[in-house]
Amino acid sequence: MGTEERKYPTSELEVLERGSREVVEPNGLKLLLKPVPGDEREHVLDPRVYARAHAKLAAGPAPAGPVDVIAWRSAPNKETHVVRGSNVAKKTVVMNFGDRGIPLHIFTPESHESGSAALVFIHGGGFMVGNIGQYENCLRDIAERTGCVAIYPEYRLSPETMFPGGVEDCVKTLDWLVEHADELGVDATRVAVAGDSAGGSLTNAVVLDGSHADRIKLVAELYPLVDGGPVPEEWSYDLYEIVNDQRAEALSRVDRIRNANDDLPVMYTNSNAEKMLDPRVSALFAEDVSAFPRTVIISSEYDYLRYQDELFAKRLQDAGVDATAIRYRGCDHGFFEMYGVMPQAEDVCRVISEELAKI
C-alpha cells in the first residue's frame, strides 16, 4: 500500500461528478453514463486502462499451466495510494464460530458519532482471492466522508471452502454486527452492504437470505457476478462499441473475465454447473427481486459482466426497486481496486458515500 497522493488531477474528479449523462437503453434501462476524463471521444478506453492493456498484449500470453491460487492471494496488490482517511482508526477482530474464526477489519473515523449507519463491504476475487490491502484505502475514504463504520470480512475462500461457505460467513458478519452494534456505536437498523465482482454476488446472497431484510437499507454493487452460467447466446462482442485503433486492447479486457468464467464451477461449486445458477450465486435467476432495498449497480464499459449487470439492474427497476445503474465508460473490470490511480475509483467512493448519507 502506497503513501503518496492521487496520481491524477482533481479536475478529472470534477469531470466524473458533473459530466454524467442519463440515457435510456433500447431495453428501457435507465442508465447513468460516466465520461472518460481527458478524452471526449465516444467509446474510448481510459488512458490508464489502455496503457495497461497495451503493455500486457505486447508482453505476450502468460505461461501455460495451472494457477497457484494460494500463492496468488499473497501476490502484490494493484497499485493504490492514500488520498484521505488517515484519521480513520482500524482494528481487526475475529468472529468465532467454534469450528472457525473469521477476521473482520473495522474502520472507524474520528468524526464517528454513536448511532451512525454501518457499511459491510464484501470483497471480490472470483471467490478465490482478495485481501484487505486491495480495499483499505477505499474504505478509509468512505468512512471519513460519511462518519460511518465500515466492516470488511475475510470470508472463507475456495477451493478450500466451496459454496455456500462464503455466503454463510457474510450472513454471519451481519449477525455479528447486530450483536455488537452498541460496542461499535452503530444503528443496526441502518446497514449498507456493498461488494465488487464476486463480492457483488455475495452481497446479493446476503439480501436474498432475508434474515436481515429489515436492516439492510442500501446495496451497492460494483460489476457484480449475477449470472455464473455459461456465456448466454445473446452475448457477443457486438455489445461493445470500440474505436478502431483500440479494438485489440479493449477486447483483451473483456476476454480477461469472459475466459475466467469457465473456471468458476470447478473452483466454487466443485464442478457442479447447476449450482452456479443458484440465486445465491447468480441473482439474475432469483424468482423475485422486489424485496431488494435501494440499490446501486455499477458496471464497466469494457467488462464481460456489463451485459448481465445491466440486465439485472433493469430487472430491479421493472420490479419497482429504487435501482440506479451507472456505467463507467472506458473502464474495465476491477478498477475500484486502483484507488488513487484511477479517478473513477475515488468517484465510486463519493457515490457510495452520498448514498450512505441517505439512510
Side-chain angles (χ1 to χ4, degrees):
M1 182 175 65
T3 57
E4 301 174 36
E5 294 192 351
R6 60 176 68 87
K7 298 297 183 179
Y8 43 84
T10 55
S11 59
E12 295 198 350
L13 294 173
E14 295 170 3
V15 169
L16 287 164
E17 182 173 358
R18 300 174 185 173
S20 302
R21 175 165 59 94
E22 288 188 358
V23 300
V24 178
E25 291 289 273
N27 68 352
L29 172 69
K30 297 176 183 177
L31 180 65
L32 191 66
L33 296 176
K34 292 280 187 174
V36 177
D39 196 330
E40 296 181 356
R41 293 178 297 164
E42 294 286 304
H43 309 300
V44 295
L45 289 167
D46 181 280
R48 289 150 286 235
V49 176
Y50 175 81
R52 291 197 307 274
H54 187 75
K56 286 182 178 294
L57 286 175
V67 175
D68 186 340
V69 173
I70 307 304
W72 190 12
R73 291 176 191 163
S74 58
N77 297 321
K78 295 177 182 177
E79 183 182 359
T80 176
H81 298 274
V82 174
V83 173
R84 61 172 59 82
S86 58
N87 294 323
V88 174
K90 173 189 173 185
K91 70 176 181 178
T92 302
V93 301
V94 177
M95 291 192 297
N96 287 305
F97 303 122
D99 60 332
R100 66 188 186 278
I102 305 298
L104 300 177
H105 304 288
I106 302 171
F107 297 87
T108 306
E110 280 188 356
S111 60
H112 174 251
E113 296 181 358
S114 183
S116 76
L119 169 68
V120 174
F121 186 87
I122 305 172
H123 72 81
F127 307 104
M128 296 175 282
V129 297
N131 61 67
I132 186 60
Q134 297 169 245
Y135 302 95
E136 179 163 335
N137 288 336
C138 304
L139 296 179
R140 287 182 176 278
D141 179 312
I142 295 169
E144 183 172 285
R145 288 178 191 261
T146 62
C148 296
V149 174
I151 300 173
Y152 175 107
E154 295 275 10
Y155 61 88
R156 290 171 295 168
L157 299 170
S158 64
E160 301 97 314
T161 301
M162 293 287 180
F163 170 80
V167 173
E168 295 167 356
D169 294 346
C170 292
V171 173
K172 286 285 189 182
T173 298
L174 269 75
D175 295 344
W176 184 93
L177 187 159
V178 172
E179 293 171 5
H180 295 81
D182 290 343
E183 175 187 337
L184 295 169
V186 302
D187 180 349
T189 68
R190 295 193 296 132
V191 177
V193 184
D196 67 314
S197 194
S201 168
L202 290 163
T203 294
N204 288 326
V206 169
V207 174
L208 291 169
D209 173 79
S211 58
H212 294 284
D214 58 336
R215 299 184 177 93
I216 301 173
K217 299 299 192 294
L218 171 68
V219 168
E221 306 179 19
L222 291 81
Y223 32 82
L225 175 76
V226 296
D227 180 359
V231 177
E233 291 183 2
E234 63 271 23
W235 184 93
S236 78
Y237 292 119
D238 293 339
L239 294 168
Y240 303 89
E241 296 184 71
I242 310 164
V243 295
N244 288 335
D245 61 341
Q246 295 186 353
R247 186 169 181 80
E249 286 80 6
L251 292 184
S252 74
R253 307 317 289 164
V254 174
D255 283 341
R256 181 173 64 101
I257 302 302
R258 179 179 181 272
N259 295 338
N261 193 63
D262 295 337
D263 297 329
L264 280 177
V266 175
M267 300 299 292
Y268 192 47
T269 61
N270 202 23
S271 298
N272 187 331
E274 189 67 26
K275 282 188 178 181
M276 291 300 297
L277 305 183
D278 187 308
R280 292 173 296 169
V281 180
S282 301
L284 197 56
F285 295 95
E287 291 185 7
D288 183 10
V289 296
S290 62
F292 266 70
R294 185 157 49 87
T295 301
V296 177
I297 295 184
I298 291 170
S299 62
S300 291
E301 185 172 15
Y302 299 109
D303 180 5
Y304 166 68
L305 299 185
R306 192 195 83 201
Y307 172 74
Q308 58 179 260
D309 291 344
E310 295 176 0
L311 199 62
F312 185 56
K314 176 64 165 56
R315 188 166 177 221
L316 290 173
Q317 290 179 0
D318 288 348
V321 175
D322 182 0
T324 300
I326 304 173
R327 181 194 298 172
Y328 280 82
R329 306 187 76 173
C331 286
D332 62 347
H333 192 86
F335 72 83
F336 187 59
E337 299 165 48
M338 301 189 71
Y339 176 91
V341 176
M342 295 289 292
Q344 293 88 345
E346 190 174 350
D347 189 64
V348 167
C349 290
R350 179 189 61 80
V351 169
I352 293 175
S353 297
E354 289 179 355
E355 294 295 331
L356 261 170
K358 299 175 184 177
I359 69 174

